[in-house]
Each structure stands twice: as C-alpha cells, then as structure tokens.
Amino acid sequence: MSLALTNDTKLPEVVPPLTRREATDEALRCYYCYDAPCITGCPTRIDIPRFIHQIATGDLSQAARTIMDANILGATCARICPTEALCEAQCVRVQDSRAVSIGRLQRVAMDHAMEHGTPALPQLEEGRGRVAVIGAGPAGMSAAAHLARRGYAVEIFEQKEEGGGLDTYGIVSYREPMRVSLFEVETVRKLGVKFHFGRKIDALQDFRTLQEQYDAIVVAIGMGKVPKWGIPGEDLPGVYDALDLVEQTKTRPLSDITLGPHVIVVGAGNTAVDAATCAKRLGASDVSILYRRGEAAMPAYRYEYEFAKQDGVIYRWWTMPIAIEGASRVEAVRCVKTQVRTGDPSDRQSPLDIIPESEFVLPADTIILAIGQEKNAGIGQMIGAATHRGRVVVNESTYETSIKNVYAVGDCLAPFGEAMVVQAVADGKMAAQAIHERLRKTMAPQKGEKHG
Amino acid sequence: MADLSVDFAGIHSPNPFWLASGPLTNTQYQVMKAFDEGWGGAVWKTVGEPVINVSSRLGAIDYGGRRMMGLNNIELISDRPLDDNLREIAEVKRLYPGNALVVSMMFESVASVWRDMVKRVEDTGADGIELNFGCPHGMSERGMGSIVGQVPEYTETITRYAAQATSLPVIVKLTPNVTDIRPPGRSAVSGGAGALSLINTINSVMGVDLNTWRPLPDVDGQGSHGGYCGPAVKPIALHMLSSLYNDPGIRVPLCGIGGIETWRDAAEFMLLGASVVQVCTAAMHYGFRIIHEMTEGLNDYLTERGLSRVADLVGQAAPRIGGWKDLRLSTSFQVVAHIDPATCIGCNLCVVACDDGAHQCIDRPSHQKAPVVREEDCVGCNLCSLVCPVPGCIAMNPVDKGYIDTWSGHELPAQ
C-alpha cells in the first residue's frame, strides 16, 4: 500500500493553527516559571518556558530548536499529546486563569520549522559506534535521532515502506496530517540515520546478524496485533480493526473505503473515538460506540469524548456485543445489557453481570473493533530476553534488556492502555543516552583518529 | 460630585486635563474635537519659525505585547504658517470661551521678535502662552528649544522677553535633558514665568532595524536624536516635578507632563505637586475619547476620599520625597518579605530573582509548593514582590526597631 498524502486535504485538521497574533498573545500569558512545573509534566522534558518565551519574542526558529533538542517528534507531539493531562495540567496558570496552551504553541514553532526548515540542533558530546534500531516508529526514531546527533552510525530496519510508525499509519489525518509525520522521518534522515524499509526482523538469524554487525541494538517494535475477539461472526466482511481502518484512510483513496450508513464501534477508548469520528467523515450517518461499562469507566480522555459527541456519535453504555450477524457480510450485531456485579462502576476491574433476557439486535453495515492491542513480546521471546507478563523486561533507567547491548523502548514496554507517543520518544532518548554512556567508555576513539 | 475645575496661574479650566503641545493640537479641527470630548484645555502646537519638517517622524518601543510603551518624535514645531495658526486659535477661543487655550511658542532669541509675536498671540484671545524651551531635536541645533532650557541664563533672558511684553500668564516648559531641573526652573521664575510645565521630551534614539541596520525612525536611511515620551517616561517626570515642587525657590504652580495615560497617573502627578496635567502620547495612541475615563475616574477618586476639589490633592505626597540621607537606615527599620503559601502558585519567579538578582534568601522546602523567605537574611529589597505575578501573595512586612537612624546622623568617613 502506498501513502495517500492527498487525504490530508480531504480530512483537514480539526484543531486550527494559532495565528501569529494568537500565538504571541498566548505566549505572553506564560509566566516563564523557574524550574517550571510544566516541564515535569512532559516525559521528554522540553524546556517549555524557554520555547514559549522565544515565541513571545518572535524567535520561532529558536523555539523549534528548543523543542527538537528535547523531542525530535515535536511536531507530532504538538498535535496528539494529551497535553491537558501532561504539561498543561501542571501549568501554574490553572490556578489563576487557565493553562497556557502549550501544545498549540508548540505546533506554531514546529509549523514554522516545517515551513522554513529545521534549525541546526545543539551539539552533543560525540561518541563512536554502530547502532541498529528495529522499528521506525516514534521510539525508534527518537533513539536513532539522538544517537545520530552524537555521531553514531545508525540504521533503522522497518517492516513497512515508510517511517513514523503509528504517527504515519495509525493516527487519523484530521488530528495529524501525514505530511507532519513524514517531515519528521525526513528530519531524522537528515540527521544521518539510514532507513531500511520493508525489512522485517522476525527470524532469530536476522537478529544474530545484527548483533554481530552492530555495537548496540534498539528494539522498538510497538504493540502487537489486535487480538481475536472470540465472538461469532467476527470474520465476516465488514468487520474492521480500528487501526486497520485508520491505516486504510492513510494509504488508500477515501472513495475506496465504503462503510455504509450504520457503523458500530466497539470499545470506548481514544482509538474508539478515532474510529467513530473517522466513520462519520467517511460518510456514515449513524455511528454508535458500544461499551460494556458506563461513562465513568470510559478510558478515553474527556476532550476525546466531547469531540466524538460533537461529531454526533451516539454512546450506548452497558452494552456488550455477543455475536455479529449476517449472511455474507455484516448485517447486525446482537448485544446484551450489562451491570456491575459488585464494586465501583468507574473501576474497570469491577466484575460485570449480563442482565438476563436483555438481548437485542442493532442493524450495522460495519463493525469497528477498538478493543486494544496485544502485548508484543514475540521478539523478546525469540531472542531469549527476559519477559514478564508478556512484556520484555528492561532496566528502568537504561532500557537495556537482559541481553547485553540490546535495548527495548516504546509501546512494546507500555502497560495496557497507557501507550503514548511522547513516552515512546522519551524512552528512545533515554535509551540512546544510556547507549552513549556505555559506548563512550568502551569505544573511545584512538588517539589521532578522526571520526564522524 | 467633586469639583474638577481648576485655576492655574490665572487660567480657568473646567478640569485639570489638558492636551500637551504636539501633533494632536496642530489644528482647529483637532482642538475643537478634543474640547467636545471633554478636555479641559489644550496647548496649541508650538508656533514659530521656520516652517519645515521631515518624514518619517515617529518611532516607538513595544513591550510585552503592548504597543508604544515609549514614543519618540523628531517632528519639528508647527509646519503650518503662523497666520493660519493664529486665525484658528482665535476662532477656537471664540467658540469655546470656557476652555483653557494656551499657545506654545518658539522663536529666535531676539527681544523684538518675542515682543511682536507675543502681542500677536495675545490678540487671538488665548488664555496664556507656553514657552517651548524643551524640544531636544532640530530647533536646538539653531539655538532654540532645549538649548535655551539647558542654560539658566538663556531661560531667564528669553522668559523676560516674553513676560515683559504681555499681561497673559507665561508658562515655561522645561526640558528634562539637564542634570538638575531646579536651576532652569528658578531662572524661569526669575524671568517672570507665572507657571512651569514639565517635562518636555527626553533625548533618545529609538532603535535600529536589524534587517536594514537603519535607525528608527528612518528618514531615507538616516536618523537623529528625538524626543522620547509615553508611559515609560513617567517616573522621570515625577522625579523632576517633585524636586521643583519641593524647591523653596519656586513658588509658582506646576503643570505635570510625562507618560500620563490614566486618571491614576494624573492623580500621582497631582500628589507630587501638579495643579494641572498635560497628556499627549496616550491621546495620540487611543484618541481624545480617553478623557471620559480620566474625568470619571478622578471624580470618583476624589469623592471616595471625601475631597471636594482637585486642589486638595496637589502636593500632598511631595513632602514625603526628600534626600536619601533622611531615610531611616535598615539598621532601625526594614521590611521583610513573606510569601503566602495559600495564594502562591509555585512559579518560582521569586526564587530565581532573589537567588540571581538579590540576596539569596528564598528557600524551597521539598515538602511544599510555596517557597519560604529566610527572614533573617532578607534585606527587604522588594524584588520578589515585584516579580510575583499573584497580587498580594508576597507581603513586605515592616519591622520597626523602635529608634531612628539616618545617614544624616552619621559622620562622613574621613577622605
């Protein structure tokens, strides 16, 4: 599948950019706190007061430099970070007014960099060595970019035909246009990282070869497949996995995707909101989200929930599908009503009961499953790294696995439901720093030898 | 309802707000419109010779998203013929007999010229004249403007030329481009001035365009020094005003000028000795309509404080400004900062300001958001309370040690 950049214009960004005037006004609201709390809210520790001060004084390129020094995927994070729960939640102005719109200001600086060119990044202490990165998603690109800035020879092996991972294939264009993610891939490439696309590392022999050829390996393979659900009819045509549907909107002409008028989304997380709002934009007139628990247990962020409702998406709480029905393709979904047996209804661990004789049928042309992805420990098991509950175990500060010089970062480590791009970027950067700490000791350049 | 009307050196005005001589008092149209909006008086833009000018003329400094914190002007005196100005002045005075109309004048330093010109102004029916001994640019290169105000002897001589030729009140407008405003002020009074107005503009260069390296404002690539005014100059004006008011050698009413934008600014000028104030930059920025807020606010302020007249404010705070030597030394009195943990928002601006710019006496306990002042080390400089964005969060509490100690009471160390 090739990329469909034209879909960027067909599914335009929901959040408009700030104008220069709006950006200046908003930047001037920042108090320029010292040891600012907002920074602690950012996993990548962007120096937020500094870049906002730079926007306030009209230094947009310098603002982008401040951001990219800490977070090479600043353009993506400016759009898809849950800033309300991260940096902006820590903003002191929550107490006397409202939080400074840090995410939207970051986007102003990064848009400037996209339009006028990326600034040269500050020099870092250089090291010497070869590093292989498996996976060109946010975590892998972050690690690769940081190591490349330090002078390492970095190569990324990616099974898909383009970089960016979820940013390119898994985020709806009206939140993050594909060109933004591809700009970041290009940025990483310009830092000297070599990309090998269409290269899946899924055999032990491939991995052993990498181990022989590189001084360190970074595993950044993201999450696994969406699991089988295990109800009758889930293989019928018309049943989509949410991430597959999003990927189709990024790789095919939109006119090729026909969902029909009645669309049902199963699950109530942020991906479900993406799927439902996507279905609306693809022409479905009637989009419902089914969730087996109530509103209080909904895992989506509040603003995602509001976004779905504004799009006209109907929420059906305490509703659980038990079968998908249809002769040759999806025609309906059979559901039951549920209730909490005991405990707090907002606790997603509370046991549920099916209400007797509550079965009913909803007509549907398309069913979209947004019920989470599987853990991805396959490669860890293959290479013999220690795992725990299906996830690779890493050292908390260095991200090194139980195999020396093999590191793991990003969503493949994330607890269920807590994967975030910005955390993946932070993982990648920290692993890269740890690799540098290791290699600068063992790979000190010979006297008089030139490298770079 | 307080009485806002004032008598200033024999000039009656319905309120103490006058427009200063400048681009906004250049024509009959402007001055009539200003009086219609409610301005009490106006000083007509300086009439004189020669009638020439340059373009462009104005430059400004912006700050924190606000425009024109400071304004610089290299425009000369009126660029309209004297006869046109005098005819319009007479017409305005005929139509607005209740408003104060003063004419600013600047001529070469020749007694007969001044005598003739003062007579012609008197014939318009204007209420007074203001001698422009203050403009720092252009005319000063030809022996007029601030060059007069900077030399007390010139000030006295030329004031006398004008004062002896007229029965109208003569106001001398002083330049701040001196090390001490009092000698030229005293000279003006000796020469016959019935009142002083200050400050005129401060010599300045506004800036440089970082793309073209041309100065601002830019006259075909060249710049020059020009008169600086606007909100940024207010503290300089307040200092000079209070030093004149407190000078025993000066017993004439004072007109305050310099960065006045709100009634609060005006009230501060009055408390330090101004009977009337003149406004220029603020009205150039926002228009004559700002007079509504100024009169309304001043009236309410007087009423709330139980004062019936503007004169009740004049000079009331001036005795509190004196020599440093008479201030209580911090051995006997000081203030100590206190941060209210209930209202602190945790920005730590006080912490870095004290640590880098003051006396390293604010600590950050690990268990709480609010920093804490180490009171025994605080010198009471105010910096933390000035940078704190939360009103009232940092109090500067007085600590009175119960005795008076000033520098006056100490022997000067031997040289």
Side-chain angles (χ1 to χ4, degrees):
Chain A
M1 284 191 286
S2 61
L3 299 180
L5 267 166
T6 52
N7 291 356
D8 277 2
T9 47
K10 292 183 179 142
L11 297 171
E13 278 190 272
V14 172
V15 179
L18 295 177
T19 65
R20 272 300 291 277
R21 180 75 243 179
E22 287 172 324
T24 306
D25 287 350
E26 190 62 19
L28 287 167
R29 295 186 59 246
C30 173
Y31 285 155
Y32 200 7
C33 296
Y34 173 70
D35 198 5
C38 54
I39 300 176
T40 65
C42 174
T44 63
R45 300 288 186 270
I46 294 172
D47 192 337
I48 294 164
R50 171 169 294 162
F51 93 71
I52 292 181
H53 190 234
Q54 287 168 318
I55 290 175
T57 55
D59 297 329
L60 294 184
S61 179
Q62 288 80 354
R65 177 184 289 135
T66 301
I67 294 161
M68 294 172 77
D69 184 31
N71 181 338
I72 199 72
L73 301 192
T76 288
C77 291
R79 290 169 165 84
I80 65 166
C81 256
T83 50
E84 291 85 346
L86 298 174
C87 50
E88 290 170 19
Q90 303 298 320
C91 176
V92 300
R93 300 230 52 188
V94 168
Q95 299 164 75
D96 73 353
S97 166
R98 58 177 171 81
V100 173
S101 297
I102 299 168
R104 294 187 74 188
L105 286 171
Q106 180 165 319
R107 183 169 149 194
V108 169
M110 294 309 304
D111 282 353
H112 181 86
M114 283 174 64
E115 201 173 321
H116 297 93
T118 50
L121 298 180
Q123 284 217 313
L124 302 174
E125 182 195 66
E126 291 207 355
R128 183 168 157 275
R130 289 167 54 79
V131 180
V133 177
I134 305 172
M141 289 214 300
S142 171
H146 191 87
L147 289 163
R149 286 176 64 192
R150 289 193 182 278
Y152 290 89
V154 187
E155 303 193 33
I156 301 190
F157 300 87
E158 166 59 48
Q159 61 178 336
K160 288 198 181 287
E161 65 182 54
E162 218 357 308
L166 211 60
D167 301 350
T168 298
Y169 293 98
I171 292 169
V172 289
S173 302
Y174 48 92
R175 292 186 192 279
E176 181 186 354
M178 184 173 297
R179 63 183 169 79
V180 175
S181 182
L182 297 185
F183 154 78
E184 290 177 329
V185 175
E186 190 54 29
T187 300
V188 174
R189 193 198 316 274
K190 283 180 184 160
L191 288 171
V193 173
K194 192 168 180 197
F195 286 84
H196 301 281
F197 294 122
R199 285 287 303 277
K200 187 165 183 173
I201 307 296
D202 58 356
L204 188 58
Q205 186 49 46
D206 297 340
F207 189 80
R208 295 277 180 247
T209 307
L210 292 184
Q211 277 184 300
E212 283 163 20
Q213 292 175 343
Y214 295 88
D215 301 307
I217 296 175
V218 179
V219 177
I221 54 176
M223 293 228 208
K225 282 264 168 234
V226 174
K228 280 282 182 187
W229 199 19
I231 66 168
E234 69 179 304
D235 293 324
L236 279 173
V239 180
Y240 285 84
D241 157 51
L243 282 176
D244 283 344
L245 175 66
V246 172
E247 184 166 334
Q248 290 201 27
T249 67
K250 312 284 293 261
T251 54
R252 297 172 59 187
L254 296 181
S255 52
D256 285 2
I257 310 168
T258 46
L259 302 180
H262 304 290
V263 173
I264 284 177
V265 178
V266 182
N270 300 312
T271 306
V273 173
D274 277 358
T277 53
C278 206
K280 274 279 177 186
R281 282 167 175 71
L282 290 168
S285 54
D286 160 33
V287 179
S288 300
I289 285 180
L290 309 191
Y291 187 41
R292 66 185 198 278
R293 297 179 185 273
E295 185 178 342
M298 167 186 67
Y301 290 111
R302 194 80 206 167
Y303 61 90
E304 297 277 2
Y305 176 47
E306 295 299 328
F307 175 49
K309 286 199 294 185
Q310 278 170 18
D311 257 22
V313 172
I314 309 292
Y315 275 80
R316 295 179 191 272
W317 310 110
W318 306 109
T319 301
M320 186 168 80
I322 53 171
I324 296 169
E325 301 181 342
S328 60
R329 58 165 291 124
V330 171
E331 290 169 19
V333 58
R334 182 167 294 275
C335 305
V336 289
K337 300 299 283 184
T338 53
Q339 61 187 9
V340 169
R341 185 185 308 155
T342 52
D344 180 358
S346 69
D347 182 354
R348 287 195 285 277
Q349 304 304 319
S350 298
L352 292 177
D353 277 337
I354 292 171
I355 299 176
E357 295 175 36
S358 64
E359 261 185 55
F360 65 103
V361 171
L362 291 170
D365 302 300
T366 296
I367 310 280
I368 306 170
L369 302 180
I371 51 176
Q373 288 168 270
E374 272 181 344
K375 294 167 275 196
N376 199 348
I379 196 168
Q381 284 157 357
M382 179 183 85
I383 64 178
T387 58
H388 178 65
R389 294 190 176 186
R391 275 184 282 274
V392 180
V393 177
V394 295
N395 177 303
E396 269 181 26
S397 51
T398 66
Y399 291 79
E400 192 170 22
T401 66
S402 62
I403 304 174
K404 194 176 181 202
N405 291 330
V406 176
Y407 298 76
V409 290
D411 285 1
C412 64
L413 305 176
F416 182 77
E418 291 179 27
M420 284 191 301
V421 169
V422 68
Q423 187 58 54
V425 175
D427 287 358
K429 185 171 75 169
M430 286 186 277
Q433 279 163 349
I435 290 168
H436 173 64
E437 284 304 310
R438 168 77 54 78
L439 294 184
R440 68 196 281 265
K441 287 173 191 144
T442 57
M443 307 280 297
Q446 299 298 306
K447 201 173 177 185
E449 187 183 350
K450 214 168 148 48
H451 62 85
Chain B
M1 194 82 179
D3 178 9
L4 292 189
S5 72
V6 291
D7 258 300
F8 181 77
I11 303 171
H12 180 79
S13 176
N15 65 50
F17 299 109
W18 293 3
L19 290 174
S21 167
L24 75 182
T25 55
N26 196 29
T27 63
Q28 176 180 355
Y29 167 80
Q30 289 168 298
V31 175
M32 282 170 41
K33 185 180 175 192
F35 287 166
D36 286 340
E37 288 279 5
W39 289 89
V43 182
W44 201 277
K45 184 174 167 76
T46 308
V47 297
E49 284 165 343
V51 176
I52 53 170
N53 230 316
V54 293
S55 175
S56 61
R57 301 176 190 179
L58 303 174
I61 285 184
D62 304 334
Y63 187 77
R66 293 284 298 273
R67 305 220 71 186
M68 272 172 57
M69 177 192 79
L71 179 72
N72 149 303
N73 188 2
I74 60 169
E75 180 175 286
L76 279 202
I77 61 172
S78 178
D79 57 2
R80 305 172 65 227
L82 181 63
D83 287 345
D84 292 359
N85 276 311
L86 294 177
R87 189 181 66 250
E88 290 186 8
I89 290 165
E91 185 67 5
V92 172
K93 191 62 214 177
R94 189 177 68 78
L95 292 168
Y96 294 82
N99 289 86
L101 187 58
V102 174
V103 180
S104 173
M105 302 179 65
M106 185 192 288
F107 289 96
E108 58 181 311
S109 303
V110 175
S112 58
V113 173
W114 277 98
R115 193 165 53 235
D116 294 347
M117 290 303 163
V118 166
K119 283 286 176 211
R120 291 189 65 187
V121 169
E122 205 176 82
D123 290 343
T124 63
D127 299 297
I129 58 177
E130 183 179 82
L131 308 186
N132 181 346
F133 295 168
C135 275
H137 52 274
M139 303 302 275
S140 59
E141 296 173 17
R142 299 293 179 96
M144 289 177 267
S146 65
I147 202 72
V148 178
Q150 284 166 334
V151 182
E153 294 75 19
Y154 296 172
T155 301
E156 181 171 346
T157 302
I158 298 171
T159 303
R160 186 167 289 119
Y161 291 163
Q164 285 181 342
T166 181
S167 57
L168 287 177
V170 174
I171 306 164
V172 172
K173 186 167 179 178
L174 297 172
T175 176
N177 299 302
V178 293
T179 47
D180 186 345
I181 194 79
R182 290 171 299 183
R186 291 170 196 146
S187 299
V189 173
S190 308
L196 302 175
S197 58
L198 73 160
I199 56 174
N200 204 309
T201 53
I202 303 168
N203 239 333
S204 62
V205 167
M206 282 321 267
V208 180
D209 184 309
L210 289 179
N211 293 319
T212 63
W213 295 6
R214 291 171 163 217
L216 300 169
D218 174 349
V219 181
D220 191 27
Q222 287 295 114
S224 183
H225 61 108
Y228 188 51
C229 51
V233 311
K234 178 181 143 190
I236 297 164
L238 289 177
H239 158 239
M240 294 187 164
L241 171 72
S242 59
S243 69
L244 283 183
Y245 187 82
N246 287 334
D247 188 297
I250 291 171
R251 284 283 164 261
V252 296
L254 304 175
C255 177
I257 314 168
I260 296 169
E261 186 167 300
T262 67
W263 69 265
R264 287 184 176 81
D265 298 327
E268 289 180 69
F269 274 78
M270 289 164 182
L271 286 166
L272 290 180
S275 303
V276 161
V277 295
Q278 293 180 24
V279 175
C280 186
T281 307
M284 286 175 70
H285 192 165
Y286 301 113
F288 298 137
R289 62 200 164 123
I290 62 169
I291 187 60
H292 296 275
E293 295 96 291
M294 299 181 93
T295 49
E296 180 183 11
L298 183 63
N299 180 58
D300 287 352
Y301 178 70
L302 290 174
T303 307
E304 279 160 22
R305 296 192 73 95
L307 304 174
S308 59
R309 305 176 307 141
V310 171
D312 295 342
L313 283 180
V314 176
Q316 291 301 313
R320 292 182 175 274
I321 295 185
W324 199 95
K325 66 184 186 340
D326 298 319
L327 297 175
R328 286 180 75 182
L329 296 176
S330 45
T331 44
S332 69
F333 171 88
Q334 76 161 94
V335 290
V336 173
H338 177 78
I339 300 166
D340 175 15
T343 53
C344 172
I345 59 174
C347 69
N348 290 321
L349 287 171
C350 58
V351 173
V352 70
C354 184
D355 208 52
D356 294 0
H359 297 84
Q360 302 83 42
C361 60
I362 300 184
D363 296 328
R364 296 176 66 191
S366 55
H367 59 281
Q368 67 177 59
K369 178 172 67 179
V372 173
V373 177
R374 212 166 50 253
E375 295 192 359
E376 63 272 25
D377 293 329
C378 174
V379 305
C381 75
N382 280 348
L383 181 62
C384 56
S385 69
L386 298 177
V387 300
C388 178
V390 181
C393 176
I394 301 185
M396 301 303 299
N397 297 321
V399 177
D400 194 328
K401 300 181 182 158
Y403 64 98
I404 304 291
D405 185 21
T406 66
W407 209 21
S408 309
H410 291 252
E411 296 279 331
L412 284 175
Q415 292 295 311

